[in-house]
Amino acid sequence: MRTERNKDGTWNVWMSRDEYHELPRSASSFQREIAIRLMGDCGLRVAETLDVAPEHVTRTKDGRHHQLEVVSGKDTTGEYEGGKYRETWLPRDVEVLLARYEQENDLAPGDPFIDVKKRQVQNWVGDAADVAAEETGDDDYRKVSTHDLRRCWANHLLVEENVSPRIVMALGGWSSYDAIEPYLAAPTEENIIESMSQVSL
């Protein structure tokens, strides 16, 4: 795990996928796990998690995958009243998690999965991070914020999976390359070894 201290005293935390997975595992409830997974596996901002309802889960055109409609995404251009609409990729295991929660809690199509305030979701991430720190012995978890989950998601796609920046921009709701440039952190040692071992010099 790599950390960077900002001028305002906050931290940026860069996690591997294995390090990230400790957080949903450390969540103390089904709903808390869903909130963490929506940010860390779907790239949602913390405020966007509050609007997700069963009606926003749809199938892709091929009928084999799922996507998540983000109906009130952040709009930095000021062009869209009520936020900017986008669709993001919904991993199969997260879709199953949402469907199970919907069924067990008898949610209507428009009922939100996360029915608390933004600050509460931030506290949930802090609680899970504290548990992960205790279980792993890595105190850097205590520096993790909700935005680090989105950062981890974007960095994984861009650096580890080599997904096109334009695709990541569309999925994450960024309007310019400059906006995602900070998520292009230095590749991990594993990524360098894998890439360079296939190169003939």
Side-chain angles (χ1 to χ4, degrees):
M1 191 177 308
R2 186 166 64 85
T3 62
E4 298 172 341
R5 190 171 193 127
N6 298 312
K7 291 180 181 178
D8 63 0
T10 60
W11 293 88
N12 290 339
V13 180
W14 302 87
M15 294 176 283
S16 70
R17 289 312 280 176
D18 285 342
E19 288 167 336
Y20 156 70
H21 286 140
E22 289 293 334
L23 294 169
R25 276 198 292 264
S26 299
S28 62
S29 73
F30 201 177
Q31 192 179 47
R32 293 181 183 211
E33 180 183 355
I34 286 173
I36 291 171
R37 298 287 306 268
L38 287 173
M39 292 179 280
D41 290 272
C42 304
L44 269 60
R45 298 172 178 92
V46 60
E48 293 170 346
T49 66
L50 308 179
D51 295 318
V52 178
E55 65 187 2
H56 300 131
V57 176
T58 61
R59 285 193 178 271
T60 55
K61 289 181 180 178
D62 67 5
R64 296 186 298 118
H65 302 96
H66 289 84
Q67 58 193 10
L68 187 63
E69 297 175 351
V70 182
V71 296
S72 60
K74 182 178 180 183
D75 173 31
T76 56
T77 66
E79 295 178 23
Y80 304 93
E81 185 177 339
K84 188 164 54 174
Y85 173 90
R86 73 177 189 276
E87 294 169 342
T88 192
W89 188 259
L90 183 62
R92 173 66 179 157
D93 57 337
V94 182
E95 187 275 326
V96 169
L97 196 69
L98 293 176
R100 185 177 140 212
Y101 187 85
E102 175 188 358
Q103 184 176 27
E104 289 183 3
N105 292 275
D106 196 26
L107 296 186
D111 290 343
F113 287 102
I114 311 301
D115 58 356
V116 299
K117 302 288 187 185
K118 174 180 170 180
R119 185 64 192 157
Q120 188 63 49
V121 176
Q122 292 169 327
N123 289 337
W124 288 353
V125 172
D127 292 344
D130 286 342
V131 172
E134 291 291 332
E135 292 184 351
T136 65
D138 187 346
D139 273 346
D140 281 341
Y141 275 108
R142 300 187 197 279
K143 299 170 184 168
V144 172
S145 71
T146 53
H147 191 73
D148 293 317
L149 304 181
R150 179 170 158 87
R151 176 182 295 109
C152 175
W153 170 82
N155 178 252
H156 173 69
L157 294 180
L158 291 165
V159 177
E160 299 302 311
E161 299 295 340
N162 296 310
V163 175
S164 162
R166 291 198 177 277
I167 291 176
V168 177
M169 285 168 58
L171 296 176
W174 289 285
S175 57
S176 70
Y177 180 80
D178 288 345
I180 66 162
E181 196 277 332
Y183 299 90
L184 285 162
T188 63
E189 183 177 7
E190 291 81 5
N191 186 252
I192 293 170
I193 291 170
E194 182 180 347
S195 296
M196 294 307 295
S197 63
Q198 302 172 28
V199 175
S200 297
L201 295 174

